[in-house]
Amino acid sequence: MSEPFYITTAINYPNGRPHIGHAYEAIAADVIARFQRLRGRDVRFQTGTDEHGLKMARKAEEQGRTPRELADEMSGYFRVMDDTLDISYDRFIRTVEPDHHAASQAIWRAMEAKGDLYLDRYEGWYSVRDEAYYDESELSEDAEGAKLSPQGTPVEWTVEESWFFRLSNYQDRLLELLNHPGFLEPESRRNEMIAFVSQGLRDLSVSRTSFDWGVKVPGSDDHVMYVWVDALTNYITGLGYPEDTEEWRKFWPASLHLIGKDIVRFHTVYWPAFLMSADLPVPQKVFGHGFILNRGQKESKSLGNVTDPLALAETFGVDNLRYFLMREVAFGQDGSYSPQAIVARCNAELANSFGNLVQRTLSMIAKNMDGAILDFEASGEDKALLSMVQSACREALPREFEALSFSTGIEAWMQAVWACNQYVDEQAPWALRKTDPKRMEAVLLTLYVAIRDLALAIQPVVPSKAKAVLDMLGIAEDQRTYADLANQSWYGALVSSGHRIGKPEPQFPRLDLPDAEAT
């Protein structure tokens, strides 16, 4: 039986349309999910939208409609984004769905049965934009003296009756968890959370009475759950909690929660404490990635620099956008993008390097060998190239992707691509056609084998284009896993089948800057 792997994104808050940050996290999670599937693991991948809370209620009121009407429309945009960007999720969850309300109320009852919930009065600072409570010591002030959260969002003084969760009871257990190697990465995020918990934890307000757009607190007509109790529970809703389903038994605890660095506290302090209170296992790993900046600036409506990721995908291509975001940014750190950077990176590496390698190799096989895949005897130079490609595709890239070091893994892959192009230039098969046709065949078929490995390895990042290359090579669809990288019988099977390469279709054409960016 294959080993299970459960990955989730943070569910997106749909008070506006998706931006590049939403796309970045979805693409990264999809790369991980596809990579683990290719490694032979039984993967479950969940994403979705977090639709309750004061922010959604106020936004809907401003627009003169119900919160559910707003949620239905906006959640639809996020699903379209995921489908357009080729995100291979198993479930797109919405927190308005009945099974999610049932799961949220079930974990509430479990925490209540543990004695960790009590009714009191809340007075304190609340950020509607973050849907988060903040201590006075965490706040700063803007130039006008208005108080701001650590994220730079406005806060307002809130007074209301509230249920509280005894977060303070879990300080020692949370510190033990945070000090567990690998639970929270990168290390900088782990150190931040250890420092936060070490300062002492106050009990957490977990219900609201000032609005009613949320999951009802069991047994109460006046209270709805604090949106983060509801939102975080989605990760177990999707496995059937509180029922003892096959998915629950197989996939919980989650292998990886992939989230933005701004919500690490909720996922590594509040969420584990809720689970501990409900006597449920905590997730195995949480990774807090960095932000994607627009030419070095964080996107915001006030700056007028918010980019529609679907517009980027339409302009530059889905696989090009996926490749750029995984290649350009050291995962875990902040990174920047611009149309110029996307064009420069994709032209240099996908079009001029890998795409050109595929195009000229397969064209020469089709033209000069009638497309035939033949037995050949590899020389020392051929074996050296294939060894280098195999090392990159079978060892370096999988090792780095397993560690979520995507840019490093792709760099190893690119080194192999460049080595193949250098080999072409040095061997000059176009000249060998006249002087040594047998050697020409060996050179081209060596490249054919190398391209197979390269296309197979990069599938998680550029799934559509890699599939097209593998289709042109004639690689059977059931022979495209990472285990197949080490399998040599595929080549003999193609030789004996009489497979022939047709005229290749270019998969990575050069990109041009839109007119508005080129001036």
Side-chain angles (χ1 to χ4, degrees), residues 419-457:
C420 288
N421 281 302
Q422 182 178 350
Y423 170 89
V424 175
D425 293 339
E426 291 173 349
Q427 297 298 318
W430 51 87
L432 291 171
R433 178 175 177 269
K434 296 180 180 179
T435 61
D436 191 347
K438 201 68 180 173
R439 177 61 190 150
M440 176 201 72
E441 292 178 357
V443 168
L444 293 176
L445 293 170
T446 296
L447 290 167
Y448 174 83
V449 173
I451 290 169
R452 174 261 190 180
D453 282 8
L454 291 166
L456 201 158

Side-chain angles (χ1 to χ4, degrees), residues 471-488:
D471 287 346
M472 290 192 297
L473 295 177
I475 307 303
E477 292 198 9
D478 62 354
Q479 294 182 0
R480 299 182 182 184
T481 71
Y482 277 34
D484 292 313
L485 277 168
N487 177 17
Q488 297 301 312

Side-chain angles (χ1 to χ4, degrees), residues 457-473:
I458 203 66
Q459 287 178 101
V461 183
V462 288
S464 176
K465 297 299 186 181
K467 179 183 185 302
V469 172
L470 291 167
D471 287 346
M472 290 192 297
L473 295 177

Side-chain angles (χ1 to χ4, degrees), residues 6 11 46 93 95 99-108 111 215 225-242 248 252 267 271 274-275 280:
Y6 180 35
I11 52 173
Q46 181 166 300
I93 194 167
T95 56
D99 65 337
H100 179 68
H101 281 240
S104 299
Q105 291 177 333
I107 197 171
W108 181 281
M111 295 189 293
V215 178
M225 294 181 193
Y226 170 45
V227 67
W228 277 102
V229 177
D230 155 19
L232 291 161
T233 302
N234 93 89
Y235 302 128
I236 56 178
T237 300
L239 300 178
Y241 178 85
W248 173 258
W252 193 259
H267 285 80
W271 179 227
F274 297 158
L275 291 167
L280 298 173

Side-chain angles (χ1 to χ4, degrees), residues 166-415:
R166 299 185 193 277
L167 185 63
S168 56
N169 285 356
Y170 293 89
Q171 180 167 337
D172 291 343
R173 290 180 65 183
L174 288 169
L175 281 173
E176 182 181 357
L177 176 64
L178 289 165
N179 278 290
H180 188 274
F183 170 69
L184 173 56
E185 293 181 351
E187 186 178 3
S188 59
R189 317 272 189 258
R190 182 172 71 91
N191 292 337
E192 290 172 7
M193 288 304 102
I194 289 174
F196 172 72
V197 175
S198 297
Q199 292 173 357
L201 294 176
R202 299 193 309 165
D203 290 351
L204 181 68
S205 172
V206 290
S207 76
R208 303 297 300 273
T209 58
S210 56
F211 63 96
D212 62 1
W213 177 239
V215 178
K216 290 286 187 182
V217 168
S220 173
D221 293 328
D222 301 324
H223 289 257
V224 294
M225 294 181 193
Y226 170 45
V227 67
W228 277 102
V229 177
D230 155 19
L232 291 161
T233 302
N234 93 89
Y235 302 128
I236 56 178
T237 300
L239 300 178
Y241 178 85
E243 303 301 322
D244 184 26
T245 64
E246 179 182 352
E247 289 79 12
W248 173 258
R249 292 191 299 272
K250 180 186 294 184
F251 291 109
W252 193 259
S255 306
L256 175 63
H257 288 328
L258 188 64
I259 60 168
K261 66 179 183 180
D262 54 334
I263 54 173
V264 167
R265 179 190 304 182
F266 305 100
H267 285 80
T268 60
V269 178
Y270 300 164
W271 179 227
F274 297 158
L275 291 167
M276 291 172 184
S277 176
D279 293 321
L280 298 173
V282 299
Q284 297 175 39
K285 181 188 288 290
V286 178
F287 191 97
H289 63 76
F291 294 142
I292 289 293
L293 307 175
N294 187 337
R295 295 178 174 90
Q297 287 186 309
K298 189 174 180 182
E299 294 195 343
S300 72
K301 292 178 182 177
S302 61
L303 291 174
N305 67 345
V306 176
T307 302
D308 179 0
L310 299 190
L312 286 177
E314 182 177 357
T315 300
F316 301 115
V318 170
D319 278 12
N320 283 323
L321 180 61
R322 289 171 62 106
Y323 181 86
F324 173 82
L325 290 174
M326 293 298 97
R327 169 68 162 136
E328 187 78 5
V329 182
F331 202 60
Q333 300 177 18
D334 290 349
S336 191
Y337 80 95
S338 68
Q340 292 83 355
I342 294 171
V343 168
R345 175 72 74 178
C346 292
N347 280 350
E349 299 188 357
L350 291 183
N352 296 351
S353 297
F354 185 54
N356 187 45
L357 172 69
V358 173
Q359 189 67 17
R360 60 179 175 169
T361 298
L362 299 191
S363 294
M364 284 188 281
I365 292 175
K367 181 179 179 180
N368 300 322
M369 298 170 54
D370 197 24
I373 304 302
L374 310 170
D375 283 321
F376 71 99
E377 185 173 341
S379 71
E381 293 163 307
D382 307 335
K383 292 176 181 177
L385 177 70
L386 291 178
S387 177
M388 192 270 189
V389 171
Q390 290 164 1
S391 176
C393 295
R394 303 177 190 182
E395 298 170 19
L397 184 146
R399 179 183 65 246
E400 298 300 336
F401 275 33
E402 190 70 50
L404 309 186
S405 297
F406 306 116
S407 57
T408 305
I410 297 173
E411 171 65 22
W413 180 83
M414 273 309 309
Q415 292 289 341

Side-chain angles (χ1 to χ4, degrees), residues 37-52:
R37 290 190 194 106
L38 289 170
R39 299 209 87 174
R41 300 187 71 175
D42 186 0
V43 172
R44 185 170 179 86
F45 174 16
Q46 181 166 300
T47 188
T49 45
D50 166 23
E51 301 171 34
H52 294 132

